[in-house]
Amino acid sequence: MASQLVRRLARSRLDGILSSSSPNPSFFNRSFSSESNLIRATLFPGDGIGPEIAESVKQVFRTADVPIEWEEHYVGTEIDPRTQSFLTWESLESVRRNKVGLKGPMATPIGKGHRSLNLTLRKELNLYANVRPCYSLPGYKTKYDDVNLVTIRENTEGEYSGLEHQVVRGVVESLKIITRQASLRVAEYAFFYAKAHGRERVSAIHKANIMQKTDGLFLKCCREVAEKYPEIVYEEVVIDNCCMMLVKNPALFDVLVMPNLYGDIISDLCAGLIGGLGLTPSCNIGEGGVALAEAVHGSAPDIAGKNLANPTALLLSAVTMLRHLELHDKADRIQDAVLKTIAEGKYRTGDLGGKSKTTEFTKAICDHI
Amino acid sequence: MSHRSFSILKRVITHHPNSSHLLSFQRSVTYMPRPGDGAPRPVTLIPGDGIGPLVTGAVEQVMEAMHAPVHFEKYEVHGNMKQVPQEVLDSIRKNKVCLKGGLRTPVGGGVSSLNVQLRKELDLYASLVNCFNLPGLPTRHENVDIVVIRENTEGEYSGLEHEVVPGVVESLKVITKFCSERIAKYAFEYAYLNSRKKVTAVHKANIMKLADGLFLESCREVATKYPGIKFNEIIVDNCCMQLVSKPEQFDVMVTPNLYGNLVANTAAGIAGGTGVMPGGNVGADYAVFEQGASAGNVGNTNLVEQKRANPIALLLSSAMMLRHLQFPSFADRLETAIKFVIAEGKYRTKDLGGDSTTQQVVDAVIAALD
């Protein structure tokens, strides 16, 4: 296990040396097509309510004239031996080629002998950062009205390495791995994101007073990257302080960058602050500038096919995808339309307390564009 | 038990802030001590760092004013010491009860946390935080009454880290059946003795299948022995989401070490802040009382200089300590006085929305003691 890590590290060091030592990070190693050409993007509608909300997204994008051409891929019915899961090699190749994708909710089929779908995507596409912008939706009242923060979570290592074993009967050990390479990668992305989106502060969340070497290494990497961005304020917050401050006064935070486990908990906490997973956008960033936006809620099989689903999460995730593609004006227009529709309150789906159907909600958004 | 009916009576009567004096004349259940129980008990006191000396000083003043049968043996311990001094440990072993302020652990400084060391040495395996809405204190969430019971000795805080190769660090999270079982037993026993209805186990067993799976198994086994108490399980990220939207669904929560830290601080935050939540650490032989949730228990230099730290958490913890020492009437008097001061709203420190100093709050509590 340690030798695998050493090999991975050595390989990446070699890649780093061979590729340019340019100041631009690798998120931009791709040519963006101009407005006149269409950008190809992979779309995984997913299961349950997935196809309906994907249809909503396509409709909204058509109305807004977004220059994106969708390549739809579905989860297969048998295990593809090349990927050891229900996702086919073609689907993954498509995302690798297009560098941009949108994923609906996928239900992992129960059984053995294959990897979970999310794990497959994460490992094959090397998705190392999960970005969730959380902002209070005007018009949908929760107990917190002034949330405007972004959580960036390291997605490959940490406590979720999956390396556990039973030492003797009744004693289990679980390994938490932190590497310099992964921490630097996510810290670089966090600061790059903060700069690109005009954010002023980046806070690193840690528990380095207890886990001194692991979280200490994470903090050291964040500090190194912080020095390269002197215009962005950098601070370090212990996780228990962070939890308390988030529930008392979420306006104190701007961009949060953290290792895997804390990121999981804090990003779900922030989703709870703004109204739940049904409204939260999310985007996974991978090596080589791959961006896979996804809706983090479940596939809700009980309301599938009944035109009752809320497409907000997938729409806002699609907006983050557009921002990654630097189509900021289209992103702003769609986001404003969604927020205005929810704020008006006339067309709201069941989970927001209204009675509209998915299609009516979508149409209202299109009218607002 | 009489404690429960006392607190029920108190909650009914203290809706009227001026009626704290009525309680002493309406005591309907009496506690029968044994001869000699009134002799002053020695309690180890560790002021600690930062705001620690300020808030432990507050407790000393209030105990003095109440003529409570405790006397404190003070010991200086600071977070940057290599280990807890032997004399302090001996004192706690002799007295069995300790009250302490926060110890500041230097971040990344290579010194292991003295808080954790103390807990491991004395085998204080359960940490308890009681998060509840104080009457009169406005918060975003109502009907919060959560007790977080957290395993205190193993899990992610084992302190077993090493550098595999330069740039790759490993940290071991150890979960044993022995520790998981005893914390589950403590949680259910607590629920049983305090008439709580539900115990929720917090875990991440979908990802850490063996480690948290073992914890869950132990909880399930103990749950079968308490059929009158409901048991359910919740994944930690969903738990945090539910805490900020619907906290009234939780009653007693039992968690492994790290999740317990996060859940306790989140629950304390939603119920009014870590400055007011009492708690402590308990083991088979000893009990150490301190501010419940760990965030902010050392404070920052501003609070220390301006002497504006919130003493309520430590005062409520000292009331828990008095009850632990079997002085229930003193505990009740102290709690009534504190709740009166908070409900009145004139003397509140900055984290509760006021601007009083520590001393002002202490004087108000002493004045409210009947």
Side-chain angles (χ1 to χ4, degrees), chain B residues 44 75-77 81-94 114 117-118 121-122 286:
Chain B
T44 313
Y75 288 95
E76 288 293 327
V77 180
M81 292 180 177
K82 278 247 171 345
Q83 53 182 25
V84 182
Q86 192 54 40
E87 48 173 9
V88 180
L89 291 172
D90 289 337
S91 160
I92 302 181
R93 290 204 172 100
K94 174 174 68 82
L114 287 185
Q117 238 185 54
L118 195 64
E121 273 287 337
L122 300 170
Y286 315 108

Side-chain angles (χ1 to χ4, degrees), chain A residues 242-311:
Chain A
C242 170
C243 280
M244 193 199 39
M245 290 182 346
L246 266 177
V247 293
K248 284 197 91 173
N249 188 3
L252 291 171
F253 289 106
D254 198 356
V255 176
L256 299 161
V257 61
M258 36 208 164
N260 212 335
L261 176 71
Y262 312 143
D264 191 6
I265 298 176
I266 299 281
S267 57
D268 276 3
L269 208 161
C270 296
L273 293 177
I274 60 166
L277 291 177
L279 301 170
T280 312
S282 166
C283 187
N284 295 303
I285 307 293
E287 286 275 357
V290 175
L292 183 66
E294 65 172 346
V296 284
H297 54 75
S299 54
D302 44 341
I303 54 170
K306 297 189 187 153
N307 202 4
L308 293 170
N310 186 349

